[in-house]
Amino acid sequence: MFRTALRNVLAHKGRLLMTMLAVMLGTAFVSGTLIFTDTMGQALRTQNSKSYADIAVTVSDNAAVGNGYDVGAVAADTPNLTEETRRKVAALPGTAEARGVVSGFAGIADKKGALIGNGFSTTGTNYVPGADGTDPRYPLVEGRGPKDATEIALDTKTAEKGGYKVGDTVRVAVNGPVMQLKLTGTLHTNDPRVMAGGSLAAFDTATAQSLYLSPGRFAELDVKAKPGTDDAALLTAVKQALPQADNIEAKTGRELAAEQDKMIGKLTKVLNTFFLGFAGIALFVGVFIIANTFSMLVAQRTRELALLRAVGATRRQITRSVKIEAVLVGLTASVGGLLAGIGIALGLKALLNGPMDANLPDGPLLVAPLTVLTSLATGVLVTLVAAWLPARRASRIAPVAAMSATEQPATQKSLVVRNTIGLLFSVAGLGSLAAGVSGKEVKLVGLGAAALLLGVFVLTPLLSRPLIALLAPVLRAVYGTPGKLAQENAVRNPRRTAATASALTIGVTLITSLTVIGASVNKAVDNSTDSDIKADYTVAMQNGSKLSDDVAAQVARTPGVSVMSTERGLPVTVGQAKGQGQGEEDGNQEWLTAVDAATIDQLATVKIKEGSADALKQGKLLVSSGRSERAGYKLGDTLAVTYPDGTKGALTVGGVLEANTALASLIAPEAVVGPHAKPGSGLDKILVKGTNGATEQLKQSLRDATGGNPLIAVKGDKDIKSESRKTVDSILNLMYGLLGMSVVIAVLGVVNTMAMSVFERRREIGMLRAIGLDRLGIRRMVRLESLLIALFGGLVGVGLGILSAWAVVRTMAGDLKGISTVVPPLQIGGFLLAAAVIGLLAALWPAYRAAKLDILDAIKSQ
């Protein structure tokens, strides 16, 4: 039977080609993902080990709040890492060097004033020269390191992007005024934040301390050991030299490297899971193609199988023969997929390091033995599973019945069982969707969508006849006999049509649901921006950090500003009190937002559901309706509050606020709670209204007032909407790209089905030619049949996609104000048009082959 299986594979290799391609593409996705993430993880771990190669012990000050993102926000009574501490550690017998480190963010402007980098990885640090005048952490490429507050050094890529050369003046900003500094040198760095598209600015130590912490203070001490010194022993000695405080922590370099390796492992695991999810979709699509191909091959070989049964082959041997064919096909395709996966991994790395500027570390391509085994096993297993039902169907054909016909129709019992299973899955899916929508549970919605998708797949043969029949009148009216024949051929074998269409349905379902969700989110953001924000412009940091308090004064003095309000977030501990006195705190951690009580209603829509609209002006608290329900805060309640500076107070709930995207869930007057913020904690944003409304002149004036700080963004309504759309569109484009593989596999399935269907119907096509249907009619018949199958798959996919998206959008109603399901007609119509084009293109080769058949040879074929 093995020889028989091998002969069958070699005899039908042309008909199996598309199946092999489908398996190859799926396994290429799997192997490419594994190779890429293994390679990236190994390169990052190698780089990480180099970063800690000469560090024996690292001491961290966890009270250096936000690592520079909340400048100056430190507790006055907290022990710090000072120059005195550094000297004590440097004087230890086992210490060769103790380097003090300061870090935070620093925005670098190019020569046009635009920010270089992505805003979230704009890194600032101190340059610590050794005896030779260089810092071993940042090897000099050109020039020298900075020596005073007028100088700066940049990483080479940032200098190149900004067009800066040594000696140029660079515009740099933290969260205050822009500094004009002289570029003294360019550096090389392996900092992952910089390599991920950020920038590095190096200051002298005193300047970095004044910018990020306070004079003489460090965020970290990196200790290098003398030769022969044990790291653990040095760690013990270092701990004894440090201030005894919870905020100061010391670890060996090996421990830190191990922690970083663990984080790298988590990152690669997340990437693996993400990419393998789409690989799984591609393989799932491939299952339909494989099953369809083997079903057709078995049907075409019924006489051959009957002869095998007649000469003594058992049912088990027939099944085993088909399974061996599947293994041979899967193994061959998987080997090709593994090789293609290497190319995909190289392409991903080139893409990320090229157009996406991710600057991944260099390293050799890692093809692990486990990756090879996983890829081969995946391809073989998927092919074997897909061929299982055709193999069982082949073994159940009786010899006499098989020799009397080329294909046996499905029994009534099998159709009833199939439809019953499909109905059960569909009902369960709809029930799960309904439960997920009512309970706002995304997981239930996801399970329901998956179950419904499976149910519809099983029911597709039942659905194919009525849906395709809807198009029959149009085909007959426009194309006459070829249209009628195409419609009859499409519904002749519902199982085959269903399997072919289902492969396309998966891709269309996912793409449609993503598109509808994206359109719904964009519309909700647009509506909430229009309804909730009255301010003409919002001033905030691009990287999500805090604005300096000085910026508020600068904005207030800007010509054309009529009204403004700051928003300041404060972490507080809240406890509900009885009456008006302070009660016992229950330890609830809340974020309280302080606003200008006199002007906030002119800058944001403040709709009160309960209480007074003047609550803020009366020094009281406003609570959003959602927060009120979740936390149980009621109108008139007095809350005991512990502020960031440690003082205690009480706030009375004066009003319950309708949901508003421009305002936080707990709002208090700046005059009441602002004085309790930590010194230098900064502002979240500033809302501004202009005398003449939103004008480009006012926008430019606000930029000028903040010194042209590249990190400070001035955004109007259009900017906020555009930014949101850009984010959503970026996510959608990524998803579309990843789903593209499954769509390609679906196209191969249509091509394969049509090609094999033409081969199977050679005699019928010959008879049609003999009674007068010309070559054009034959080509048109095949193309229209393919078009019907593709449109059927597209219509089912669009319907499922819209339903699934509706359920997901309903679960988002509590988190995104005013969101409703938006179905973009042009895009949905475009998907159906794309499905039609796919059907027509997929039929080009099969239609050409059908039209070229010799009439006499076709009639004589069996």
Side-chain angles (χ1 to χ4, degrees):
M1 298 308 294
F2 178 81
R3 289 197 299 270
T4 301
L6 181 60
R7 179 186 61 79
N8 286 330
V9 170
L10 295 176
H12 303 118
K13 55 183 179 292
R15 277 176 265 176
L16 288 168
L17 178 61
M18 296 298 176
T19 300
M20 290 182 178
L21 283 174
V23 178
M24 187 188 77
L25 290 174
T27 52
F29 209 152
V30 173
S31 59
T33 296
L34 295 175
I35 294 169
F36 172 70
T37 52
D38 285 348
T39 300
M40 185 182 71
Q42 182 61 40
L44 289 173
R45 283 188 289 271
T46 301
Q47 176 184 285
N48 181 52
S49 64
K50 289 179 180 178
S51 300
Y52 291 98
D54 64 340
I55 298 176
V57 176
T58 292
V59 184
S60 301
D61 180 1
N62 297 323
V65 179
N67 199 23
Y69 284 87
D70 289 323
V71 177
V74 295
D77 58 349
T78 302
N80 301 324
L81 293 178
T82 62
E83 177 62 23
E84 181 183 356
T85 306
R86 190 197 69 79
R87 288 173 181 169
K88 284 183 181 179
V89 173
L92 293 173
T95 300
E97 180 188 357
R99 181 190 302 119
V101 177
V102 184
S103 61
F105 63 82
I108 312 298
D110 61 20
K111 293 186 176 181
K112 294 181 180 179
L115 179 69
I116 299 174
N118 55 25
F120 292 92
S121 301
T122 51
T123 308
T125 189
N126 61 321
Y127 189 82
V128 187
D132 60 353
T134 64
D135 188 334
R137 298 175 302 163
Y138 307 114
L140 283 167
V141 177
E142 187 179 0
R144 60 171 176 81
K147 294 182 178 179
D148 56 42
T150 65
E151 298 179 343
I152 192 174
L154 300 176
D155 68 280
T156 53
K157 285 192 172 292
T158 299
E160 182 181 341
K161 289 176 183 177
Y164 291 121
K165 297 180 180 179
V166 173
D168 288 350
T169 298
V170 180
R171 300 177 70 245
V172 188
V174 181
N175 71 340
V178 174
M179 299 173 285
Q180 306 278 348
L181 305 178
K182 180 181 178 181
L183 181 63
T184 62
T186 56
L187 315 167
H188 175 73
T189 178
N190 288 323
D191 189 320
R193 292 171 295 180
V194 180
M195 300 186 73
S199 60
L200 175 70
F203 307 93
D204 70 289
T205 297
T207 301
Q209 288 173 330
S210 65
L211 287 173
Y212 300 125
L213 296 170
S214 57
R217 187 179 178 200
F218 298 105
E220 184 179 298
L221 297 179
D222 291 339
V223 184
K224 185 177 180 180
K226 289 180 179 178
T229 302
D230 180 68
D231 290 356
L234 182 57
L235 175 64
T236 302
V238 168
K239 285 182 176 179
Q240 293 174 355
L242 297 174
Q244 298 303 307
D246 293 338
N247 62 290
I248 295 179
E249 183 180 23
K251 294 181 179 180
T252 64
R254 285 196 296 268
E255 289 176 326
L256 287 173
E259 289 178 2
Q260 291 293 321
D261 283 350
K262 192 175 292 185
M263 291 179 63
I264 291 169
K266 289 180 179 179
L267 171 64
T268 55
K269 185 177 180 180
V270 169
L271 285 174
N272 253 335
T273 303
F274 180 73
F275 285 119
L276 287 177
F278 288 92
I281 293 171
L283 287 168
F284 185 59
V285 172
V287 166
F288 290 94
I289 297 171
I290 299 164
N292 215 17
T293 301
F294 275 93
S295 293
M296 295 178 75
L297 285 175
V298 166
Q300 292 169 10
R301 286 161 39 202
T302 49
R303 293 181 183 273
E304 175 188 329
L305 295 174
L307 287 173
L308 289 173
R309 290 294 309 281
V311 297
T314 64
R315 287 187 173 183
R316 180 173 296 180
Q317 287 177 312
I318 296 295
T319 302
R320 189 181 303 158
S321 172
V322 177
K323 288 181 178 179
I324 291 172
E325 288 182 51
V327 170
L328 292 173
V329 169
L331 186 60
T332 304
S334 298
V335 172
L338 178 62
L339 296 175
I342 295 174
I344 289 176
L346 290 171
L348 277 174
K349 189 174 180 181
L351 175 66
L352 290 172
N353 280 337
M356 299 185 69
D357 198 25
N359 292 318
L360 295 176
D362 292 328
L365 200 67
L366 183 61
V367 184
L370 182 60
T371 298
V372 176
L373 291 175
T374 301
S375 301
L376 296 180
T378 299
V380 171
L381 184 62
V382 167
T383 311
L384 193 56
V385 168
W388 181 72
L389 279 176
R392 285 179 59 82
R393 198 175 296 129
S395 68
R396 289 178 178 176
I397 298 174
V400 174
M403 286 188 286
S404 64
T406 58
E407 183 176 358
Q408 298 300 309
T411 64
Q412 188 67 28
K413 180 181 177 181
S414 68
L415 292 175
V416 170
V417 170
R418 175 171 182 149
N419 292 337
T420 302
I421 293 173
L423 187 62
L424 289 174
F425 267 104
S426 299
V427 171
L430 289 172
S432 183
L433 279 178
V437 168
S438 61
K440 301 293 188 293
E441 290 288 339
V442 178
K443 289 183 179 179
L444 278 178
V445 168
L447 289 173
L452 180 61
L453 191 63
L454 287 173
V456 171
F457 285 164
V458 177
L459 288 173
T460 305
L462 185 65
L463 299 173
S464 62
R465 287 183 180 275
L467 286 178
I468 291 177
L470 291 175
L471 300 172
V474 176
L475 292 179
R476 291 178 181 178
V478 177
Y479 297 106
T481 300
K484 179 181 179 181
L485 291 172
Q487 185 260 335
E488 291 176 351
N489 288 335
V491 297
R492 176 190 297 182
N493 191 326
R495 282 184 170 178
R496 181 184 303 167
T497 299
T500 307
S502 294
L504 187 60
T505 297
I506 297 172
V508 175
T509 298
L510 294 173
I511 289 173
T512 299
S513 60
L514 287 171
T515 302
V516 172
I517 292 170
S520 303
V521 170
N522 283 333
K523 185 65 174 177
V525 171
D526 288 352
N527 290 340
S528 62
T529 300
D530 291 335
S531 63
D532 295 346
I533 301 176
K534 294 181 180 179
D536 295 321
Y537 292 105
T538 300
V539 181
M541 297 289 282
Q542 292 198 52
N543 58 2
S545 56
K546 301 287 188 176
L547 285 166
S548 170
D549 288 307
D550 297 336
V551 176
Q554 294 168 351
V555 170
R557 293 193 298 268
T558 303
V561 173
S562 61
V563 181
M564 62 165 282
S565 174
T566 60
E567 288 194 13
R568 184 196 306 274
L570 290 84
V572 296
T573 303
V574 177
Q576 190 163 343
K578 296 179 180 179
Q580 297 300 315
Q582 293 181 32
E584 293 296 324
E585 296 174 9
D586 57 13
N588 290 336
Q589 298 298 313
E590 297 275 14
W591 272 96
L592 192 67
T593 299
V595 299
D596 188 332
T599 60
I600 189 62
D601 59 345
Q602 301 176 56
L603 299 160
T605 302
V606 181
K607 290 186 178 179
I608 303 295
K609 294 183 69 174
E610 297 179 62
S612 171
D614 294 326
L616 286 176
K617 296 176 183 177
Q618 297 167 4
K620 295 181 181 180
L621 186 70
L622 288 182
V623 181
S624 70
S625 56
R627 192 70 192 128
S628 174
E629 293 173 4
R630 291 192 297 270
Y633 300 149
K634 304 297 183 184
L635 186 66
D637 284 351
T638 299
L639 308 179
V641 179
T642 301
Y643 294 109
D645 63 356
T647 60
K648 297 180 183 294
L651 290 172
T652 300
V653 178
V656 177
L657 184 70
E658 285 190 9
N660 188 306
T661 56
L663 298 173
S665 57
L666 290 175
I667 309 169
E670 168 70 20
V672 175
V673 302
H676 300 294
K678 288 182 179 179
S681 59
L683 306 169
D684 291 343
K685 59 185 174 182
I686 302 172
L687 301 177
V688 178
K689 197 171 186 63
T691 306
N692 299 317
T695 63
E696 283 300 318
Q697 182 180 357
L698 175 59
K699 190 174 186 179
Q700 188 59 49
S701 295
L702 289 169
R703 288 181 182 142
D704 295 340
T706 56
N709 189 327
L711 277 172
I712 296 179
V714 180
K715 299 177 183 177
D717 287 359
K718 291 181 180 179
D719 300 314
I720 295 171
K721 293 176 183 178
S722 175
E723 193 173 86
S724 172
R725 288 185 176 277
K726 191 178 294 183
T727 301
V728 172
D729 290 345
S730 296
I731 295 172
L732 289 179
N733 289 336
L734 174 63
M735 297 296 187
Y736 292 157
L738 292 172
L739 288 171
M741 187 73 78
S742 61
V743 174
V744 170
I745 293 174
V747 173
L748 293 177
V750 178
V751 175
N752 203 27
T753 299
M754 296 309 301
M756 296 186 72
S757 178
V758 166
F759 180 84
E760 188 178 83
R761 303 201 314 255
R762 285 179 302 170
R763 187 174 185 180
E764 175 186 321
I765 292 171
M767 292 295 294
L768 289 172
R769 289 292 314 283
I771 61 176
L773 192 62
D774 59 10
R775 294 180 187 272
L776 177 61
I778 294 294
R779 286 198 296 269
R780 182 171 292 168
M781 177 189 72
V782 175
R783 286 199 298 264
L784 291 175
E785 180 183 349
S786 178
L787 173 66
L788 284 172
I789 293 173
L791 276 177
F792 170 57
L795 285 169
V796 174
V798 164
L800 288 173
I802 292 174
L803 179 61
S804 301
W806 169 82
V808 172
V809 168
R810 293 292 297 167
T811 64
M812 299 167 66
D815 299 315
L816 191 55
K817 178 189 173 185
I819 189 169
S820 59
T821 306
V822 176
V823 181
L826 290 179
Q827 288 173 280
I828 299 302
F831 297 153
L832 290 175
L833 179 61
V837 171
I838 285 172
L840 291 173
L841 293 177
L844 289 179
W845 179 54
Y848 174 80
R849 286 189 59 192
K852 287 293 184 181
L853 287 176
D854 182 88
I855 296 177
L856 293 178
D857 289 342
I859 292 175
K860 288 190 295 182
S861 65
Q862 298 295 323

